């Protein structure tokens, strides 16, 4: 059997890979808006459109039924994320190491402008490590839509050789779609402790690079 081409590029998701996940943004915003009755119906489409760059901040809040959000309400979408941000330093250091070994290392992440600003300021989007940094609200594509991965391959100039790209993500649906486009993948499994999780991610990437 012919060996697959060597991996030349690694794309990292952020939440659940480079940082711990924060899954309470919708709850934070719901509380800040005093739990409007139809919030749960409005939220999925509003956050999807905002995270895809289809709407701006003002329209996002309007779609949640709040035409004139206070500063406190606007801060609710990022406050908990900012205050609990936990960077997985071992994975970050490993990504930096890979970048020195001739591999192209980038980010492919769904996010919104407020969270991206926090991550930029905290050093997660370190340009010395990650190039490119493909963020959903800038590219117009959110995972797991196939267009997300096709766009990434086009940006990398690797549409002709998707097998040379390794994609690391914590969500199985994102991994499945990436694999369907031809990318090789690593599922970032969450273990009992952060140390175990980071060691597993690093070991799984190293194993894939050797295969």
């Amino acid at each position: 059997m012919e060996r697959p081409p060597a991996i030349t590029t690694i794309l990292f998701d952020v939440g659940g890979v480079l940082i711990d996940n924060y899954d309470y943004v919708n709850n934070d915003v719901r509380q800040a808006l005093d739990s409007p009755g139809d919030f749960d119906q409005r939220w999925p489409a509003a956050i999807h459109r905002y995270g895809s760059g289809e709407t701006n901040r003002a329209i996002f809040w309007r779609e949640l039924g709040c035409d004139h959000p206070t500063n406190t309400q606007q801060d609710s979408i990022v406050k908990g994320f900012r205050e609990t941000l936990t960077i997985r330093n071992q994975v970050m250091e490993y990504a930096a190491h890979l970048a020195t070994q001739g591999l192209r290392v980038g980010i492919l992440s769904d996010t919104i402008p407020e969270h991206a600003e926090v991550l930029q300021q905290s050093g997660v989007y370190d340009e010395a490590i990650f190039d490119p940094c493909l963020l959903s609200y800038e590219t117009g594509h959110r995972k797991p839509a196939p267009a997300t991965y096709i766009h990434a391959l086009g940006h990398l100039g690797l549409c002709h050789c998707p097998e040379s790209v390794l994609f690391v993500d914590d969500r199985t649906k994102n991994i499945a779609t990436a694999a369907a486009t031809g990318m090789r993948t690593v599922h970032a499994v969450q273990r009992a402790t952060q140390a175990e999780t980071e060691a597993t991610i690093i070991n799984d990437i190293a194993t894939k690079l050797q295969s």
Side-chain angles (χ1 to χ4, degrees):
M1 180 181 295
E2 184 178 350
R3 287 178 59 85
I7 292 170
T8 63
T9 304
I10 304 179
L11 293 177
F12 286 85
D13 179 32
V14 175
V17 181
L18 299 177
I19 67 172
D20 283 0
N21 268 323
Y22 182 77
D23 296 323
Y24 309 105
V25 174
N26 60 331
N27 291 331
D28 295 342
V29 175
R30 183 192 295 107
Q31 292 179 9
L33 294 179
D34 197 23
S35 302
D38 59 352
F39 177 86
D40 289 336
Q41 288 71 48
R42 291 173 176 260
W43 174 262
I47 194 65
H48 179 89
R49 282 163 49 77
Y50 190 38
S52 299
E54 297 175 28
T55 58
N56 59 27
R57 186 174 304 177
I59 294 174
F60 166 73
W61 286 102
R62 194 174 307 135
E63 290 184 344
L64 291 179
C66 185
D67 291 344
H68 304 288
T70 65
N71 289 339
T72 298
Q73 287 173 329
Q74 291 190 66
D75 191 52
S76 68
I77 200 168
V78 70
K79 184 176 185 292
F81 177 82
R82 180 177 60 238
E83 293 178 350
T84 63
L85 177 64
T86 302
I87 299 173
R88 294 177 173 173
N89 291 311
Q90 294 300 313
V91 180
M92 287 286 294
E93 291 173 9
Y94 184 60
H97 167 72
L98 294 173
T100 68
Q101 302 302 302
L103 289 165
R104 188 173 186 183
V105 179
I107 283 173
L108 180 61
S109 178
D110 291 347
T111 192
I112 57 176
E114 292 87 344
H115 290 189
E117 182 178 0
V118 171
L119 294 170
Q120 180 68 50
Q121 293 173 350
S122 67
V124 173
Y125 297 156
D126 188 339
E127 294 179 358
I129 304 172
F130 301 107
D131 179 24
C133 188
L134 302 173
L135 308 179
S136 62
Y137 75 93
E138 294 179 334
T139 66
H141 303 290
R142 283 174 62 89
K143 298 173 288 184
T148 305
Y149 309 97
I150 294 170
H151 174 270
L153 290 169
H155 186 92
L156 295 166
L158 292 172
C159 289
H160 65 290
C161 192
E163 300 92 345
S164 65
V165 179
L166 179 63
F167 175 60
V168 186
D169 197 287
D170 65 313
R171 300 186 187 277
T172 55
K173 61 184 179 180
N174 298 339
I175 289 292
T177 311
T181 66
M183 292 182 181
R184 284 137 91 177
T185 61
V186 164
H187 180 209
V189 178
Q190 310 304 297
R191 300 299 186 188
T193 67
Q194 179 171 319
E196 290 175 316
T197 296
E198 293 195 64
T200 299
I201 292 171
I202 292 168
N203 289 337
D204 287 351
I205 292 173
T207 297
K208 191 72 69 167
L209 290 173
Q210 295 169 3
S211 63

